[in-house]
Amino acid sequence: MCPHTPPCPAADATDAGAAHPASVHAEQGWTLLCNGLVVFDDTGQLRPDRKAIAPRRAATTPTGTTKAAA
């Protein structure tokens, strides 16, 4: 249960990453949020239900320029 007012978004909400950090491990590249979501430095996520969310990485075009991945 989130002790914050207003409560942090649920781990399955679209804005789940806006929850407060509960434990930061920058040396290991991950942060545990108040809602149980683990967020990694590469933008990947691990939800409390053990569902993994792939990192959002920039895609490279054939010309070598980068564009945001879909």
Side-chain angles (χ1 to χ4, degrees):
M1 204 68 188
C2 178
H4 302 107
T5 304
C8 292
D12 58 352
T14 57
D15 59 347
H20 291 264
S23 182
V24 178
H25 296 273
E27 72 283 356
Q28 295 177 355
W30 61 274
T31 301
L32 173 64
L33 301 181
C34 180
N35 57 8
L37 187 70
V38 177
V39 180
F40 297 95
D41 286 351
D42 68 354
T43 71
Q45 300 176 351
L46 183 60
R47 291 187 178 172
D49 62 1
R50 298 185 181 178
K51 181 179 179 184
I53 308 299
R56 296 180 307 274
R57 297 193 175 133
T60 305
T61 64
T63 60
T65 59
T66 55
K67 64 178 181 178

